[in-house]
Amino acid sequence: MEGVVLESGRPPIPDHMPPSADTRSADSVTGGGEPGPATAAGAPANLQDGADPGAAAGRDSAQHRTGLLTTLVLAGLTALPALSTDMYLPALPEVTRSLHSSASAIQLTLTVCLVGLALGQFVIGPMSDKWGRRRPLLASLSVYVAATVICALAPTAELLIGFRLVQGLAGAAGIVIARAVVRDLHDGVALARYLSTLMSIAGAAPVLAPVVGGQLLRFTSWRGIFFVLAALGLLLVLAVWRWLDETLPPERRRDGGVGQALRTMGDLFADRVFTGYLLTAGFGFAALFAYVSGSSFVMQEIYGASPQVYSLLFGLNSIGFIIVGQLNGKLLVGRFDLDDLISVGLGLITLATAALLVMSSGLLGEVGLVPMAAGLLVLMSALGLTQPNANSLAMTRTRQAAGSASALLGSSIFLMGAVTSPLVGIAGEGTAVPMAAVQVGCALAAAACFVGLCRPWQRTGSRTSP
C-alpha cells in the first residue's frame, strides 16, 4: 500500500485481519498494539525488527550527534510557538491604544496566530517528509522572521492581524519538525525520554513567556517585543544552519504532492492504534486548554484569589507538569511499560477532574481555594505522564512519514483545544461547573480512546526495556 509504512516496513494492519506471526511484529511497540512475536531467545520483538539495516545504522550514528547544542536548538524550536502567542499578552492593552483599535480586534491577533500554528503543521509536516527537515525549516523560520518584523512595524490592526496569521503558519515549523527530527534520531525508550524533555520545555514556555513579556515592557513598547521575537527567530535560523544536520536521508523521503500527503495522512488515521494515541493526547490537551481558559476567572472571581496568588498557583501547576514530565523521561521510561504510565496518568486525571466537578457543584458544601487548587495541580501533573508517552507511542508507529505524523498530532491537539475552550464559559460567570464538566468529559474521552483504540492489553511482553 502506498502511504504510511510502520516501523517494521509494513502498512497498518486492518482491524478485520487477524494478526499473523509475521504481521504482529508491526504492533510490538514499546507498549500498545497487538501482541508481537518472540525472538529466538524468547525476548519480545521490537520495532527495529525488519527495519531497513541501512536506515537503522544511519539513525544509530545520528544519535551520537544529538548533543547539548542539538537539544538546545530543538528546545528553542519547540518553545517558539508558545513564545509567539504568549509573550505579548501583557501588552494587549497598549497595542489597543497604540493602533486606535478595539479590544476584540486585538484579541483576534491571538486567535489567528493559533489558527496559523494549527494549519501550518498540516502543510509543513508533509513538506519535510518530501524535501527533508532542514530546507523547509530554514525557509519557514526565514518567513517567520520577516513576518514578525512586519508585525513590529504594523501601522494598523488589520495589517497586524494578517501578519500574525503568517507568523503562526511559519512558526508551526518549529514544533512539527522538531518532533519529526527526534523521531528520525531515536526509537523506543530514547524517543520517549527525548519527547518528555521537549514537552516539559513546551509546558514551561507558556508560563515564562508572559513574565518575560511583562519585563520587556519595562524597557520597550509592544513593538519591541516583536523585535525580540524576530531576533529569536533569526538566532534559530543561524543555529539550525550551523548545528542541526539533515536527519532524513534522500532514500527515506516521500515523493508526491498534495494528493500524496493527504493519502499519507489518511493512512495514518486508518491505523487504529495511531489514531487512539492521537485522540488520547488530544483530549488530554483539551483538558489543559479548559484549565488555561477558565482557571483565571474561576480562581479569582469565584474563589477569591488575588492576581498575585493566581499567578503563583498557575506557576506551581506548570512546575508540577514539568517535574512529572522530567521524572517520566529520566526515571520511569525504560523501567515501566509506556501504556502502564499512560493508564496511571489517565486514572489520576479522571479522579482529579471528577473531584473538581463534585467540589464546584456544591455537593460537598462550600469549598475553598486550596482544595480546588490541589485538584488542578493533580490534573496538570498527571498530564506530564500521558502527553509525552502518548505522543511517543504515536510517533513510533511510523518512520517514513514522521513529518506527517507529527503534523497530525500537533494540529489535532491545537484544534481540539480551540474547540473545547469556549465551552468553559457556556453557563455564565457564576459557576465553575462548566470548566470541571468539560475536563471530566475530556478525561473520559481520552480514557475511552485509549482503551477502545489502543487496546494495550493485546500484547505479549512489549515492555520498554532498553
Side-chain angles (χ1 to χ4, degrees), residues 22-38:
D22 187 44
T23 59
R24 283 196 308 266
S25 63
D27 279 310
S28 174
V29 191
T30 54
E34 282 71 29

PDB file of all heavy atoms in Angstrom, residues 22-38:
ATOM      1  N   ASP A  22       3.765 -13.124  11.396  1.00  0.00           N
ATOM      2  CA  ASP A  22       4.643 -12.238  10.653  1.00  0.00           C
ATOM      3  C   ASP A  22       4.220 -10.788  10.771  1.00  0.00           C
ATOM      4  O   ASP A  22       5.041  -9.903  10.892  1.00  0.00           O
ATOM      5  CB  ASP A  22       4.639 -12.657   9.174  1.00  0.00           C
ATOM      6  CG  ASP A  22       5.664 -11.884   8.381  1.00  0.00           C
ATOM      7  OD1 ASP A  22       6.790 -11.727   8.869  1.00  0.00           O
ATOM      8  OD2 ASP A  22       5.338 -11.431   7.272  1.00  0.00           O
ATOM      9  N   THR A  23       2.893 -10.522  10.733  1.00  0.00           N
ATOM     10  CA  THR A  23       2.442  -9.136  10.752  1.00  0.00           C
ATOM     11  C   THR A  23       2.388  -8.555  12.134  1.00  0.00           C
ATOM     12  O   THR A  23       2.410  -7.349  12.294  1.00  0.00           O
ATOM     13  CB  THR A  23       1.046  -9.031  10.121  1.00  0.00           C
ATOM     14  OG1 THR A  23       0.139  -9.856  10.856  1.00  0.00           O
ATOM     15  CG2 THR A  23       1.065  -9.460   8.673  1.00  0.00           C
ATOM     16  N   ARG A  24       2.307  -9.373  13.184  1.00  0.00           N
ATOM     17  CA  ARG A  24       2.156  -8.830  14.517  1.00  0.00           C
ATOM     18  C   ARG A  24       3.356  -8.035  14.964  1.00  0.00           C
ATOM     19  O   ARG A  24       3.262  -7.204  15.856  1.00  0.00           O
ATOM     20  CB  ARG A  24       1.875  -9.955  15.534  1.00  0.00           C
ATOM     21  CG  ARG A  24       0.458 -10.466  15.489  1.00  0.00           C
ATOM     22  CD  ARG A  24       0.151 -11.257  16.753  1.00  0.00           C
ATOM     23  NE  ARG A  24       1.128 -12.290  17.039  1.00  0.00           N
ATOM     24  CZ  ARG A  24       1.003 -13.557  16.650  1.00  0.00           C
ATOM     25  NH1 ARG A  24      -0.031 -13.943  15.946  1.00  0.00           N
ATOM     26  NH2 ARG A  24       1.931 -14.439  16.958  1.00  0.00           N
ATOM     27  N   SER A  25       4.511  -8.261  14.356  1.00  0.00           N
ATOM     28  CA  SER A  25       5.696  -7.526  14.793  1.00  0.00           C
ATOM     29  C   SER A  25       5.546  -6.032  14.585  1.00  0.00           C
ATOM     30  O   SER A  25       6.207  -5.253  15.239  1.00  0.00           O
ATOM     31  CB  SER A  25       6.936  -8.023  14.042  1.00  0.00           C
ATOM     32  OG  SER A  25       6.798  -7.770  12.661  1.00  0.00           O
ATOM     33  N   ALA A  26       4.671  -5.638  13.665  1.00  0.00           N
ATOM     34  CA  ALA A  26       4.460  -4.205  13.460  1.00  0.00           C
ATOM     35  C   ALA A  26       3.854  -3.537  14.662  1.00  0.00           C
ATOM     36  O   ALA A  26       4.005  -2.346  14.858  1.00  0.00           O
ATOM     37  CB  ALA A  26       3.547  -3.985  12.250  1.00  0.00           C
ATOM     38  N   ASP A  27       3.139  -4.295  15.497  1.00  0.00           N
ATOM     39  CA  ASP A  27       2.484  -3.706  16.654  1.00  0.00           C
ATOM     40  C   ASP A  27       3.215  -4.011  17.945  1.00  0.00           C
ATOM     41  O   ASP A  27       2.736  -3.687  19.023  1.00  0.00           O
ATOM     42  CB  ASP A  27       1.044  -4.204  16.760  1.00  0.00           C
ATOM     43  CG  ASP A  27       0.137  -3.444  15.841  1.00  0.00           C
ATOM     44  OD1 ASP A  27       0.168  -2.229  15.867  1.00  0.00           O
ATOM     45  OD2 ASP A  27      -0.593  -4.078  15.089  1.00  0.00           O
ATOM     46  N   SER A  28       4.369  -4.643  17.847  1.00  0.00           N
ATOM     47  CA  SER A  28       5.120  -4.910  19.062  1.00  0.00           C
ATOM     48  C   SER A  28       5.894  -3.661  19.443  1.00  0.00           C
ATOM     49  O   SER A  28       7.103  -3.609  19.458  1.00  0.00           O
ATOM     50  CB  SER A  28       6.069  -6.081  18.826  1.00  0.00           C
ATOM     51  OG  SER A  28       6.900  -6.279  19.922  1.00  0.00           O
ATOM     52  N   VAL A  29       5.134  -2.616  19.718  1.00  0.00           N
ATOM     53  CA  VAL A  29       5.692  -1.302  20.022  1.00  0.00           C
ATOM     54  C   VAL A  29       6.109  -1.287  21.474  1.00  0.00           C
ATOM     55  O   VAL A  29       5.832  -2.198  22.228  1.00  0.00           O
ATOM     56  CB  VAL A  29       4.618  -0.225  19.730  1.00  0.00           C
ATOM     57  CG1 VAL A  29       5.213   1.159  19.770  1.00  0.00           C
ATOM     58  CG2 VAL A  29       3.983  -0.469  18.382  1.00  0.00           C
ATOM     59  N   THR A  30       6.737  -0.227  21.888  1.00  0.00           N
ATOM     60  CA  THR A  30       7.091  -0.088  23.288  1.00  0.00           C
ATOM     61  C   THR A  30       5.847   0.216  24.091  1.00  0.00           C
ATOM     62  O   THR A  30       5.670   1.286  24.644  1.00  0.00           O
ATOM     63  CB  THR A  30       8.103   1.051  23.451  1.00  0.00           C
ATOM     64  OG1 THR A  30       7.540   2.206  22.852  1.00  0.00           O
ATOM     65  CG2 THR A  30       9.419   0.722  22.829  1.00  0.00           C
ATOM     66  N   GLY A  31       4.972  -0.764  24.157  1.00  0.00           N
ATOM     67  CA  GLY A  31       3.658  -0.588  24.755  1.00  0.00           C
ATOM     68  C   GLY A  31       2.677  -0.307  23.646  1.00  0.00           C
ATOM     69  O   GLY A  31       2.972   0.313  22.657  1.00  0.00           O
ATOM     70  N   GLY A  32       1.449  -0.816  23.762  1.00  0.00           N
ATOM     71  CA  GLY A  32       0.392  -0.505  22.811  1.00  0.00           C
ATOM     72  C   GLY A  32       0.393  -1.409  21.625  1.00  0.00           C
ATOM     73  O   GLY A  32       1.398  -1.856  21.131  1.00  0.00           O
ATOM     74  N   GLY A  33      -0.793  -1.718  21.126  1.00  0.00           N
ATOM     75  CA  GLY A  33      -0.926  -2.504  19.930  1.00  0.00           C
ATOM     76  C   GLY A  33      -1.144  -3.962  20.229  1.00  0.00           C
ATOM     77  O   GLY A  33      -1.231  -4.401  21.357  1.00  0.00           O
ATOM     78  N   GLU A  34      -1.265  -4.768  19.166  1.00  0.00           N
ATOM     79  CA  GLU A  34      -1.495  -6.192  19.315  1.00  0.00           C
ATOM     80  C   GLU A  34      -0.216  -6.897  19.709  1.00  0.00           C
ATOM     81  O   GLU A  34       0.873  -6.374  19.588  1.00  0.00           O
ATOM     82  CB  GLU A  34      -2.026  -6.755  17.983  1.00  0.00           C
ATOM     83  CG  GLU A  34      -3.488  -6.462  17.738  1.00  0.00           C
ATOM     84  CD  GLU A  34      -3.735  -4.994  17.441  1.00  0.00           C
ATOM     85  OE1 GLU A  34      -2.822  -4.351  16.899  1.00  0.00           O
ATOM     86  OE2 GLU A  34      -4.822  -4.507  17.760  1.00  0.00           O
ATOM     87  N   PRO A  35      -0.326  -8.159  20.190  1.00  0.00           N
ATOM     88  CA  PRO A  35       0.870  -8.869  20.625  1.00  0.00           C
ATOM     89  C   PRO A  35       1.810  -9.135  19.486  1.00  0.00           C
ATOM     90  O   PRO A  35       1.401  -9.388  18.361  1.00  0.00           O
ATOM     91  CB  PRO A  35       0.306 -10.157  21.238  1.00  0.00           C
ATOM     92  CG  PRO A  35      -1.073 -10.280  20.728  1.00  0.00           C
ATOM     93  CD  PRO A  35      -1.555  -8.922  20.405  1.00  0.00           C
ATOM     94  N   GLY A  36       3.080  -9.097  19.790  1.00  0.00           N
ATOM     95  CA  GLY A  36       4.101  -9.354  18.788  1.00  0.00           C
ATOM     96  C   GLY A  36       4.782 -10.671  19.051  1.00  0.00           C
ATOM     97  O   GLY A  36       4.690 -11.251  20.126  1.00  0.00           O
ATOM     98  N   PRO A  37       5.474 -11.213  18.075  1.00  0.00           N
ATOM     99  CA  PRO A  37       6.128 -12.500  18.224  1.00  0.00           C
ATOM    100  C   PRO A  37       7.374 -12.400  19.069  1.00  0.00           C
ATOM    101  O   PRO A  37       7.960 -11.338  19.218  1.00  0.00           O
ATOM    102  CB  PRO A  37       6.492 -12.851  16.771  1.00  0.00           C
ATOM    103  CG  PRO A  37       6.711 -11.526  16.128  1.00  0.00           C
ATOM    104  CD  PRO A  37       5.737 -10.596  16.765  1.00  0.00           C
ATOM    105  N   ALA A  38       7.790 -13.479  19.609  1.00  0.00           N
ATOM    106  CA  ALA A  38       9.022 -13.531  20.382  1.00  0.00           C
ATOM    107  C   ALA A  38      10.176 -13.848  19.468  1.00  0.00           C
ATOM    108  O   ALA A  38      10.036 -14.455  18.421  1.00  0.00           O
ATOM    109  CB  ALA A  38       8.910 -14.583  21.476  1.00  0.00           C
TER     110      ALA A  38
END
